[in-house]
Amino acid sequence: MSRMITVGAAQLGPIQKAESRTSAVNRMIQLMEQARRKQCDLIVFPELALTTFFPRYLMKDRDEIEQWFERSMPNEVTQPLFDAAREFGMGFHLGYAELVEEQGETRRYNTAILVDKSGTIVGKYRKVHLPGHAEYEDERRFQHLEKYYFDVGNTGFNVWRTMGGVLGMCICNDRRWPETYRVMGLQGVEMVVLGYNTPSTNGKVEQDPHLRMFQSRLCMQSGAYQNSTWVVGVAKAGTEDGHQLFGGTCIVAPTGEIVAQAQGLGDELIVADCDLDLCLEGKENMFNFTAHRRPEYYQLITEQAGAVPPEE
Ligand code: ING
């Protein structure tokens, strides 16, 4: 048996601060047209795909902050993506900054949606692991103010039965945490789709760019292998107003092997035929959770956040 999802991982090159959302959407539509020619069932766009990676800038004025956020989805600017999905019979995953009123309070989330082939939103995810810091840090070459701009997501790590499989989502820094994949693995996930914006250098300490790429890949490949799921990781890449983001968009098989990867740092579509039945081998053997997991020994994982070494 095979259950195929042809997936397009649509890396976006840089979006400059001055670039409009309409322009970003037009670029994404072009990638959808390419993906249609390659018969993609699903196209995956990056985290915060409509704008530059604005958490690198400190803004204090409320209106100035809120202009980076979407108050509804779809909206006037993003409607063409939904129309193309329906016309092409192609699902999509999109990351964006979301502003909502919840219990009388304004909340801001780093959000992603999953849209099916009819152009209907079937799933929403709000980023849980927000990296960086909540206050301006003078010693940094650039800021990473996600904890300042966003609330911790309140959706949890869900999966959805759509497009012939069990699909899940996470966002950027979430990909570095094994818990992210395992919670979806325990719901039988067969494909995790995620977008990221990862600076090529650390804003504070020197770090080899090659090492940073290695670590990003290591996390996605081990998440795939240890849960026997496809992982589709899609970058926003290149230089945004002088700030470099690494690329490395890739599609990872349930074996942990990379089956397709982007070559450059611009808008680039890579495609793979992902047979969801390839997940079965791992799910029935090495990572047969029912047979082999011992949750009674994993309590610390949900009881505490930080490490507590034994006393000296
Ligand atoms: N980006 C980064 C990521 O995890 C980050 C966060 C901050 C990485 C500092 C490295 C250093 O790839 C997002 N958008 O989560």
Side-chain angles (χ1 to χ4, degrees), residues 167-170 181 184 189-194 229-233:
L167 273 66
M169 297 184 264
C170 67
Y181 303 93
M184 290 189 269
V189 78
E190 295 172 318
M191 181 179 283
V192 175
V193 296
L194 69 99
T229 176
W230 290 89
V231 172
V232 182

Side-chain angles (χ1 to χ4, degrees), residues 44-47 93-95 110-113 125-129 156-158 160 167-177 180-181 184 191-196 220 231-234:
V44 181
F45 294 116
E47 174 192 37
H93 165 92
L94 176 76
N110 188 338
T111 295
I113 48 169
Y125 169 72
R126 292 170 172 159
K127 186 174 184 178
V128 165
H129 300 101
F157 299 102
N158 300 309
W160 295 270
L167 273 66
M169 297 184 264
C170 67
I171 301 177
C172 193
N173 189 262
D174 289 322
R175 78 190 186 286
R176 303 182 189 274
W177 301 89
T180 298
Y181 303 93
M184 290 189 269
M191 181 179 283
V192 175
V193 296
L194 69 99
Y196 59 88
M220 294 191 283
V231 172
V232 182
V234 180

Side-chain angles (χ1 to χ4, degrees), residues 62-308:
R62 189 173 151 166
D63 291 341
E64 191 187 350
I65 293 172
E66 293 188 352
Q67 59 157 339
W68 297 97
F69 287 74
E70 312 305 312
R71 290 162 189 273
S72 58
M73 191 60 66
N75 54 32
E76 208 177 304
V77 174
T78 56
Q79 185 63 45
L81 296 168
F82 291 77
D83 295 342
R86 196 170 47 244
E87 188 188 333
F88 299 175
M90 186 190 304
F92 71 87
H93 165 92
L94 176 76
Y96 64 97
E98 179 192 19
L99 191 139
V100 282
E101 297 292 324
E102 284 179 333
Q103 283 119 38
E105 294 206 43
T106 303
R107 299 247 184 248
R108 299 188 302 236
Y109 297 108
N110 188 338
T111 295
I113 48 169
L114 188 60
V115 176
D116 72 10
K117 294 181 178 189
S118 72
T120 307
I121 297 177
V122 292
K124 180 185 271 192
Y125 169 72
R126 292 170 172 159
K127 186 174 184 178
V128 165
H129 300 101
L130 298 171
H133 41 106
E135 273 160 47
Y136 185 85
E137 292 185 359
D138 205 31
E139 69 277 21
R140 287 178 176 267
R141 283 177 287 120
F142 53 88
Q143 302 296 303
H144 200 111
L145 287 161
E146 285 197 60
K147 286 189 198 290
Y148 172 75
Y149 288 116
F150 299 116
D151 295 293
V152 172
N154 57 359
T155 53
F157 299 102
N158 300 309
V159 303
W160 295 270
R161 200 172 274 288
T162 182
M163 287 173 270
V166 180
L167 273 66
M169 297 184 264
C170 67
I171 301 177
C172 193
N173 189 262
D174 289 322
R175 78 190 186 286
R176 303 182 189 274
W177 301 89
E179 295 86 349
T180 298
Y181 303 93
R182 183 49 47 96
V183 171
M184 290 189 269
L186 286 167
Q187 300 169 82
V189 78
E190 295 172 318
M191 181 179 283
V192 175
V193 296
L194 69 99
Y196 59 88
N197 281 268
T198 302
S200 304
T201 57
N202 185 299
K204 228 167 168 177
V205 297
E206 282 306 318
Q207 243 182 18
D208 181 352
H210 177 266
L211 179 62
R212 288 167 67 86
M213 180 63 77
F214 168 75
Q215 290 165 341
S216 169
R217 290 268 164 92
L218 179 68
C219 295
M220 294 191 283
Q221 291 181 255
S222 45
Y225 169 61
Q226 293 171 341
N227 296 279
S228 202
T229 176
W230 290 89
V231 172
V232 182
V234 180
K236 178 133 67 60
T239 306
E240 293 188 338
D241 297 291
H243 300 278
Q244 290 170 355
L245 298 169
F246 74 44
T249 294
C250 63
I251 300 173
V252 187
T255 53
E257 296 164 294
I258 292 174
V259 298
Q261 57 186 312
Q263 301 303 312
L265 294 173
D267 292 5
E268 181 178 345
L269 181 77
I270 59 167
V271 176
D273 294 324
C274 303
D275 181 359
L276 301 182
D277 281 340
L278 286 182
C279 300
L280 290 173
E281 161 67 23
K283 288 189 194 296
E284 288 174 355
N285 295 290
M286 179 70 82
F287 298 109
N288 180 335
F289 291 166
T290 312
H292 307 305
R293 287 184 78 253
R294 295 289 172 232
E296 62 272 32
Y297 293 108
Y298 308 153
Q299 283 155 16
L300 288 183
I301 289 177
T302 54
E303 282 174 0
Q304 65 188 58
V308 185

